[in-house]
Structures are given as structure tokens and as C-alpha cells.
Amino acid sequence: MRTTPETVAELIARQWGDHRPGLRYESTVLTHHQSARATAARAALLVDLLPPGAEPHIGVLLDNTPEFPFWLGAAALAGAAVAGINPTRRGPELARDILHTECRILVTEPAHLPLLRGLDLPGVRILVTGSEEYAALLAPFATATPGEAVLGSGPGPGSRLLLYFTSGSTGAPKAAVCRQGRLAAAGASLARTFRVTPDDVHYICMPLFHGNAVIADWLPALAGGASVALRRRFSATAFLDDVRAHGATYFTYVGRAVQYLLATEPRPDDRDHTLRLGFGTEAGAVDAARFAERFGVRLVEGYGATEGGASVQRTPGTPAGALGRAAPGDDLAVIDPETGKECPPARLDGRGRLLNGEEAIGELVNRGRSLFEGYWRNPEAEAARTRDGWYWTGDLFFRDPEGFLYFAGRTDDRLRVDSENLAAAVIENILARWPEASAAAVYAVPDEVAGDQVMAALALRGGAAFDPRAFEAFLAAQPDLGTKMAPRYVRVLDALPVTATNKVHRVALRRAGFLVPEPVWWRPPGADGYRRLDEEGLRALLAAYETRGRRDLLDR
């Protein structure tokens, strides 16, 4: 008899009758059974509202409130899929995400209704949580049970459950397909790896519209029988108070969140809590060590795309700065995308600095088994991702002689800012509207702590001068400029450098970064406007890179 659930629907159904605490939010505590009842009611409502013949897709535009996991579970029970809608998107781009994934139902909350004003969303029914209409719609299904309401033949391992957006070289975000079988297996694997038990409490403070929180936090809690504690939005100052209030033992993070936590004022009780582990990405060896020293919590770095195409596992003996080796079954290689050949091993000095980056850095490719399940309605992007029979991650890595893999950045057209994947082309299209600019190029420069920052090179029209206040006003007026898209750095040039084929020379721009003779304007963290990056500011900035062990990234 099979005992390991093959679907997320089975994990949800397993909560029925379990009266231990299962979901914590602010002062509310629900049992696993109460959560399963709320989930089953929404599954029945979903089946009732979805038009015949429509794709079984529901958009969820919510903060981390209980409604988000309820609807994730409802989709699993019904055999439907959730498209996580990113509230940092704006205007037509936000509408495009909803319509591209063919969501006929959009669940949101009053706080996000202003984002939807003026958007043309034909055929999309909007449900507003907390409203009287919403309560009335749910009321007839209050006694529903798991498995009572399903679409078609019901959920199976091959049923779509998540459509999670990820950006790439095509500009528009792609919706990665995640099916129930892979997600259930991923949750079970992490639960085993981190020895999750019903006594654990998983603190979910990363946004649930991202794979990080769902795949690495919510799912292993389901698989291990742990409870979850939700935070509407991440707060560094409230982090430890939440952990103590909920008795949290595990959390997921991105590098920026770790930076914010380390920036809080140290307190004598920083180690007075129940946390035992954090799992995430891009914290960096320096900040991970500082976090462990201050809070007594081990951070485990991982690498794995939402698409499931490749993953790296940390093993005993992994050097500082490395992410680990290829997961079992993966045949990972660092490939020069121009030649298709494997890059030579990295040469590192005694401090772990890369000495041969130009030849050692390439794109991480999985030449073996891939769990990639495709992109929704985007065959061109699928073909690009799986060309030559390999899975191309779009991420730059290098590999040391012992086979340990090190993350080295994003490919030219991608940036990762505060855990958000951004496409350079989208930002360039916005900057091209500025009347003073004759040309614009957008590219990533390493952040001094983790991930990337947006840098723009602008060529101005004849006779124009860069006016930082006018540029700020222009950015503020753009309805489709997401909250992570505004450039941190702006380099002003007479003309953009080009290659022999008259393409913008992005490699040269990225390598130079802000260490250039031309004027560079920047927005220091916490500042409300652009200012010249003068010698004093540059010295302080470079010192910040040195402190975090990331100074060498500026020289690659």
C-alpha cells in the first residue's frame, strides 16, 4: 500500500481530523482541520464559479494572509492551478500577467484593489477577500470536504498547480508550469533533508507569489505535518518578535532579507528564540557567518530554479562561497554559450578570489535528467531553455577543480534585484520614453550585499544635460515601472558602445559598471533621489563591497 502522497491534494486531505495547531497569523491560530475545511470550501467555490471549458487557472493577488494558502490548497484539491500575481507589477504589465495565464478568477484583497483600477481584464471575475459578497459566496460550501468538488477527473501527479512567473531574455515574464507530482516530491524531499516534524513551525515571511515561500517553506511543512506562521509582509524589526510569538523553528530567506535583519540594532536577547534553521539563497558566506554568530541560526544556501530544471545541493566540505555540487541525477556543466564547450575549472587564490573568470565563467547547463515542465503558452521560450537537448539555466557559474559550483551572476538580459527577476528589455523600453534620452541600455551590476542592482547607461540628445530631478519625476510618472525597476546607477554617455555588428556592447558596459570616467549618478540605500557618485561616495561604496567579500565581483 502506498503511504507517500503523490499529490499536494493528498497532503491537504491528510490534515482533515488533525486538531493540532496548523496555521498561525497575527493573533489567530487555526488547527490543521480548520485550515482543511476552509480550503475545501474554496475548492468547491472554485469548481462552482469556473466557466465551462475555461482553463482551470485562478490568479491570486494577495499578501501573506491565510487566504493565500487556502487558495493554494483549494486549487490542489480541485485539480486547478494558481498563478501568483506579483503586486510590484503595474498597469498593462500587471494586466498582461493575469490575462496571459488565462485566469478567469482573480482573488485579491481591498489593499490591492487600487492596482486593478483602470485595467482591462475581460472575462475575469474578481473576488475580494473580507467583503460581504465573498462571505456570501463561500457560505453554501462551509461543509465541503476534501475531494468532494473536483474539476474533470480530479487532481493527479500531472495536474498543474502553480504558474509562477520568471523573467528571461524575451522581456515579458514567463509562467513556469509546476505540477502536483513534482511539488509533492519536492516538499517531501525538503522535509526529509531538514527533518521536519509536527512539532516544527515554519515561518513564512517571504512573499507567497514566489516559489521560495511555497516550494521551500509551505510544502515541506505540509509534507512533515508542521504548522505554518504567516507574516503579511517581511519586517526585519518584527522578525524575532514573530519568531518568539509563534515558536517558529524554520524560515526561508533571500539575501536582501538577511541583510535587513543584520542591520537591526543588536539586542542582548538575539539568541533567545526557537529558530534552528534558515534555508534560502544569495545570503553570501560573509552574511551567513555573521547571522550564525549573532542569532545562533545556521543558514543553508541552495540553488534550484522554480522551473525544476537544475539544482545544486550543499554537501559536507562545501567551500565558503560555493553552493555545492550537482543534485543526484543532474549532469550539471558550466558551458560557454558561444562555443557550446565546457569551461575550464576555476583557479582561485588563497582568499578564494577567482583568477581566470574570463574563461571559467559560463552558463550552468543540465545535460542530463531535467524536471522542467515547460512554460505556459510560450513554446519559443521553452525551446530556448531546452536547446540542444540540454536545460540552460540562464545563470552564470564557475566550477572549481573539485566540482563545487559558485554562482557568478545572471546572463546579459536578466537581473535579480531583492529576489525579483527582471528583464533588461522591459526597463529599457520604459527609459526610452524619456525625451532627453537618445538611447538607453540596462544591465546588472553586483549589489554590495546580494544579487544585483539595476544600472542604466543613457546617451542624451544633442545639447541635453542630465537633470536628476527631471529624471526622477519621469520615473515616478511611469505606470508600468515596477518597484524594483528604477535604476540604482545611471551612467551618462555621449553614445553607447557598440559591437562590430552595431549591437549595444552590454558586456563592456557590465564589466565597467560604475568604475568609469564618465559621470555616474546613483541613489544610495535609503536616499530619496539621485546624486553624483563622487570620490568620497565611491570610496565608501567600495569599502562596503570589501566588507561583504564581494569586491572582486566588480573586476569580472
Side-chain angles (χ1 to χ4, degrees):
M1 180 178 176
R2 178 172 56 84
T3 58
T4 302
E6 292 185 337
T7 65
V8 178
E10 292 176 77
L11 294 174
I12 298 291
R14 219 167 50 171
Q15 295 182 318
W16 195 262
D18 185 343
H19 297 285
R20 292 171 299 176
L23 189 150
R24 306 161 192 265
Y25 176 71
E26 297 178 347
S27 61
T28 299
V29 179
L30 301 178
T31 66
H32 288 295
H33 179 75
Q34 289 172 317
S35 295
R37 283 191 64 180
T39 297
R42 284 153 182 79
L45 175 60
L46 172 59
V47 171
D48 184 67
L49 292 182
L50 199 69
E55 291 292 347
H57 298 168
I58 175 174
V60 177
L61 177 61
L62 296 170
D63 289 336
N64 288 2
T65 66
E67 290 288 350
F68 210 130
F70 290 165
W71 280 103
L72 286 170
L77 291 176
V82 164
I85 306 301
N86 185 339
T88 70
R89 301 272 281 170
R90 294 292 185 272
E93 298 296 331
L94 179 63
R96 180 263 171 199
D97 292 352
I98 298 166
L99 297 177
H100 171 68
T101 45
E102 300 181 56
C103 296
R104 300 299 294 274
I105 298 171
L106 177 67
V107 180
T108 190
E109 56 185 304
H112 290 322
L113 283 177
L115 298 178
L116 302 176
R117 288 188 190 131
L119 297 189
D120 185 18
L121 299 171
V124 179
R125 179 164 184 173
I126 298 174
L127 305 183
V128 183
T129 63
S131 66
E132 292 183 3
E133 179 189 14
Y134 184 72
L137 287 170
L138 279 171
F141 306 107
T143 60
T145 59
E148 180 179 305
V150 298
L151 297 164
S153 58
S159 301
R160 293 188 297 272
L161 178 56
L162 299 178
L163 296 170
Y164 268 179
F165 285 104
T166 177
S167 296
S169 58
T170 56
K174 304 179 293 291
V177 175
C178 305
R179 302 183 189 276
Q180 290 211 32
R182 176 165 72 89
L183 293 172
S189 176
L190 286 172
R192 288 192 300 271
T193 298
F194 297 133
R195 299 186 175 132
V196 179
T197 75
D199 294 327
D200 280 307
V201 178
H202 284 210
Y203 180 51
I204 302 179
C205 55
M206 295 292 99
L208 281 162
F209 62 80
H210 272 174
N212 173 298
V214 172
I215 298 173
D217 214 340
W218 181 66
L219 282 170
L222 277 180
S227 62
V228 298
L230 301 176
R231 175 82 191 182
R232 175 178 280 273
R233 293 182 184 177
F234 173 76
S235 168
T237 56
F239 181 85
L240 278 183
D241 290 337
D242 276 355
V243 164
R244 295 185 183 107
H246 298 303
T249 58
Y250 170 100
F251 77 109
T252 59
Y253 64 84
V254 295
R256 182 64 65 185
V258 171
Q259 177 204 8
Y260 290 149
L261 290 168
L262 290 170
T264 60
E265 190 70 25
R267 291 167 26 181
D269 61 352
D270 276 343
R271 286 179 169 236
D272 181 16
H273 55 73
T274 50
L275 272 182
R276 62 181 178 85
L277 181 70
F279 178 56
T281 183
E282 297 182 358
V286 172
D287 280 353
R290 292 177 60 210
F291 197 90
E293 180 180 358
R294 176 173 166 184
F295 298 107
V297 178
R298 181 169 65 104
L299 299 184
V300 177
E301 288 277 295
Y303 173 86
T306 299
E307 294 99 320
S311 60
V312 178
Q313 289 188 350
R314 193 173 188 87
T315 57
T318 298
L323 291 179
R325 291 188 170 104
D330 285 355
D331 178 14
L332 300 188
V334 178
I335 300 293
D336 182 336
E338 296 295 326
T339 65
K341 296 180 180 179
E342 190 163 359
C343 296
R347 289 186 289 108
L348 306 173
D349 67 12
R351 299 176 61 189
R353 294 178 183 269
L354 181 62
L355 302 177
N356 62 333
E358 189 162 336
E359 63 173 358
I361 293 176
E363 186 168 349
L364 187 68
V365 173
N366 188 356
R367 302 179 298 191
R369 170 189 61 87
S370 171
L371 298 178
F372 177 54
E373 295 170 314
Y375 295 119
W376 181 253
R377 302 283 196 242
N378 201 332
E380 295 84 2
E382 282 189 31
R385 184 67 76 190
T386 58
R387 64 188 184 274
D388 303 321
W390 296 348
Y391 177 86
W392 296 74
T393 65
D395 291 323
L396 301 176
F397 273 74
F398 59 90
R399 189 178 215 152
D400 69 18
E402 286 72 45
F404 289 102
L405 290 159
Y406 298 70
F407 180 74
R410 312 288 163 181
T411 49
D412 287 358
D413 291 328
R414 294 214 297 169
L415 310 86
R416 189 169 175 84
V417 179
D418 290 353
S419 82
E420 295 274 349
N421 280 333
L422 306 177
V426 173
I427 306 174
E428 286 173 354
N429 289 338
I430 295 172
L431 297 185
R433 302 170 193 158
W434 192 39
E436 301 300 321
S438 61
V442 169
Y443 45 100
V445 293
D447 181 79
E448 61 266 37
V449 176
D452 303 323
Q453 284 296 334
V454 179
M455 184 162 184
L458 298 178
L460 303 184
R461 299 191 184 279
F466 183 75
D467 182 340
R469 291 188 179 180
F471 186 66
E472 291 158 17
F474 160 79
L475 294 178
Q478 305 312 301
D480 52 348
L481 186 75
T483 57
K484 311 295 185 184
M485 293 182 180
R488 165 75 67 83
Y489 302 96
V490 178
R491 179 183 177 185
V492 181
L493 294 158
D494 293 330
L496 299 186
V498 296
T499 66
T501 57
N502 281 323
K503 294 181 180 178
V504 174
H505 201 328
R506 296 179 185 279
V507 173
L509 289 170
R510 190 176 66 251
R511 284 178 178 168
F514 48 76
L515 302 174
V516 294
E518 296 87 1
V520 172
W521 299 78
W522 77 309
R523 291 184 309 150
D528 57 1
Y530 288 91
R531 63 190 66 173
R532 279 289 294 269
L533 181 58
D534 56 19
E535 290 186 7
E536 181 180 354
L538 181 60
R539 282 196 300 270
L541 185 58
L542 294 178
Y545 279 91
E546 191 71 42
T547 299
R548 303 287 183 169
R550 291 172 65 86
R551 174 64 178 85
D552 59 317
L553 294 179
L554 299 177
D555 299 323
R556 291 177 185 168

